[in-house]
Amino acid sequence: MEQRIAVKMDTDTIPVTGVDDLEKHLDQLINDPTIALNDKLFDHVELQLTEANIPPLIPRLLPRITDILKQFQQDPAVLCSLAIKLLGPLSFTQVMSLASEESILQALRSPAPSANLLAMSIVHKAAKSPGDAAIFAAMKDTVIAFLTKWLNAPQVEVGEKGSKVLGDLLDVDSDARPPEGLAVSGVEIVLRRVPGQGFMWRRVFHDADVYGVILSLCSNGPHHGAPGGLTPLQLSLAQGRLLRILPRLAALNFTSLTKSEFTALHQRFAGSMTDGGLLHFAALHMVDKTDVLMHMNLIDFFEALLSIQRITPFSQYKVDTLRVLFKEASYQDDTLKNSVLSLHERTVPDEADEVRQFIREICTA
């Protein structure tokens, strides 16, 4: 059954030239996906698109692009770029009425980074509201495919997009967020908004299959020597991506990041029998400190974590947990210890004294 989407239109919109020719070209590609793409024609149409003139083009172009992508073996960059532009005005639920979950899975699993970015752009739309985030959380296979691509993609742009999408999804869905929001040095870390429903948090942190994907892809071990395992470079990228997102997530729900019900998974991938969560895994068990770059990433992680936790609501549990993490991580690691203890020297002057006091409370207790 054909789906109809109602979108407000500007009656004074200037017609987009080249659309008829593009339709014919897309039909040719559907019949023969091996013919060469007319990049100039795609660019000509895409450069004219605005929020006002996109809606009437969606039913004309998007179904054709979707059909082509299912069988296309060449670089789909121009197809994906146009699809992202066409999808711009649509909500997550509107997109899902046009594209199947299977098509998003196929794009996430594609070796083409442009297809990965298209899929992640669709998933990102679920971060617009707690309700949409809940819908996405129910798509377990897609959540796993998204997290897998976020961590194992060799392309920097795919990793960065995945980090942004995951952070925004968990932000809008957090049911334990600071109600007034948070900002560090004028940069908003947690937006001021109503609490979410927690469905994405439960999917990521309380579903063994999903949680295990993160531990598996970010832990060093013989499983990476098997088919599908990560190269040393990919492992470093995955670990770096996890380290960079955790400080933001810890500001949204510190408890979910520091407690885990999956002791067996932590034992398998980190050799740890504690009930500590991803924060403990990343801070204490994940990084090979003989890798200079990863050691620097770990230091950056601690500095970001403590900078943000300084302005989150006080709890003795938080303070005690941070003390344990720092004490264990800095044992026989003077570089990490000295970098954190001098953090106030690299902080804006208005906040330096408060940072020094907080660091002293955590790190010299």
Side-chain angles (χ1 to χ4, degrees):
M1 181 177 180
E2 184 178 351
Q3 299 287 340
R4 296 176 179 268
I5 297 175
V7 184
K8 288 184 66 177
M9 293 185 53
D10 183 351
T11 55
D12 297 325
T13 297
I14 299 174
V16 179
T17 62
V19 174
D20 291 341
D21 291 338
L22 182 58
E23 277 188 301
K24 293 176 184 177
H25 184 47
L26 291 173
D27 287 336
Q28 292 172 340
L29 286 164
I30 291 173
N31 293 326
D32 183 4
T34 64
I35 66 173
L37 288 168
N38 186 338
D39 292 358
K40 290 185 178 179
L41 180 57
F42 277 91
D43 291 342
H44 174 73
V45 172
E46 184 176 337
L47 288 171
Q48 301 175 71
L49 299 183
T50 66
E51 288 191 7
N53 63 28
I54 284 176
L57 299 180
I58 292 173
R60 294 179 63 182
L61 301 179
L62 198 57
R64 289 178 166 89
I65 293 174
T66 301
D67 287 343
I68 294 167
L69 287 173
K70 290 177 181 178
Q71 54 182 335
F72 201 65
Q73 298 300 312
Q74 305 173 51
D75 181 0
V78 293
L79 288 163
C80 294
S81 178
L82 181 57
I84 290 173
K85 195 69 174 285
L86 290 169
L87 293 170
L90 303 183
S91 69
F92 181 67
T93 51
Q94 287 175 325
V95 173
M96 293 310 299
S97 72
L98 297 170
S100 66
E101 182 178 356
E102 183 58 38
S103 64
I104 298 176
L105 277 169
Q106 181 179 349
L108 285 170
R109 293 167 177 166
S110 169
S114 57
N116 306 152
L117 292 171
L118 170 59
M120 288 183 174
S121 295
I122 293 173
V123 173
H124 202 185
K125 290 178 177 292
K128 294 295 183 182
S129 73
D132 286 345
I135 292 172
F136 178 65
M139 301 162 60
K140 179 175 176 176
D141 289 345
T142 307
V143 173
I144 290 176
F146 164 71
L147 292 173
T148 300
K149 183 57 65 174
W150 165 53
L151 290 172
N152 73 8
Q155 299 84 8
V156 172
E157 66 272 21
V158 176
E160 290 180 346
K161 180 66 174 180
S163 296
K164 173 65 173 172
V165 172
L166 180 60
D168 289 351
L169 280 167
L170 291 170
D171 189 327
V172 76
D173 187 55
S174 175
D175 55 3
R177 58 184 309 107
E180 298 302 318
L182 293 173
V184 176
S185 301
V187 179
E188 284 191 306
I189 305 299
V190 177
L191 299 178
R192 182 182 301 179
R193 58 170 56 141
V194 297
Q197 303 174 50
F199 287 104
M200 266 301 293
W201 286 86
R202 288 191 285 277
R203 175 62 75 196
V204 173
F205 296 101
H206 298 281
D207 183 314
D209 296 329
V210 178
Y211 191 77
V213 164
I214 299 174
L215 291 181
S216 173
L217 289 174
C218 291
S219 63
N220 200 356
H223 58 289
H224 287 307
L230 302 187
T231 66
L233 174 59
Q234 286 177 305
L235 178 61
S236 294
L237 289 172
Q239 292 177 345
R241 289 164 188 169
L242 184 63
L243 286 171
R244 283 189 291 276
I245 199 174
L246 285 179
R248 179 185 180 187
L249 301 187
L252 292 165
N253 190 330
F254 190 76
T255 302
S256 288
L257 270 292
T258 54
K259 293 183 179 180
S260 174
E261 61 199 87
F262 303 121
T263 306
L265 287 175
H266 278 271
Q267 169 65 19
R268 176 183 175 188
F269 293 113
S272 169
M273 285 298 291
T274 69
D275 60 354
L278 274 185
L279 214 56
H280 292 75
F281 166 72
L284 304 178
H285 306 294
M286 182 179 77
V287 173
D288 175 6
K289 291 187 178 183
T290 63
D291 183 325
V292 176
L293 178 59
M294 287 310 304
H295 189 214
M296 293 303 299
N297 282 340
L298 182 65
I299 292 171
D300 290 342
F301 157 77
F302 266 100
E303 292 183 354
L305 176 68
L306 293 172
S307 294
I308 294 172
Q309 287 301 314
R310 176 183 67 83
I311 60 171
T312 59
F314 173 83
S315 79
Q316 193 60 51
Y317 170 74
K318 178 185 80 171
V319 171
D320 292 343
T321 301
L322 292 175
R323 284 173 176 166
V324 169
L325 287 175
F326 178 77
K327 181 178 180 180
E328 293 190 24
S330 61
Y331 178 69
Q332 295 186 337
D333 189 344
D334 290 339
T335 303
L336 188 154
K337 179 183 295 184
N338 293 333
S339 292
V340 172
L341 290 175
S342 62
L343 178 59
H344 63 279
E345 298 174 3
R346 301 182 299 282
T347 304
V348 294
D350 290 346
E351 299 177 6
D353 287 342
E354 293 179 359
V355 170
R356 183 193 295 111
Q357 182 177 350
F358 182 74
I359 294 297
R360 185 183 297 119
E361 180 183 2
I362 298 298
C363 304
T364 62

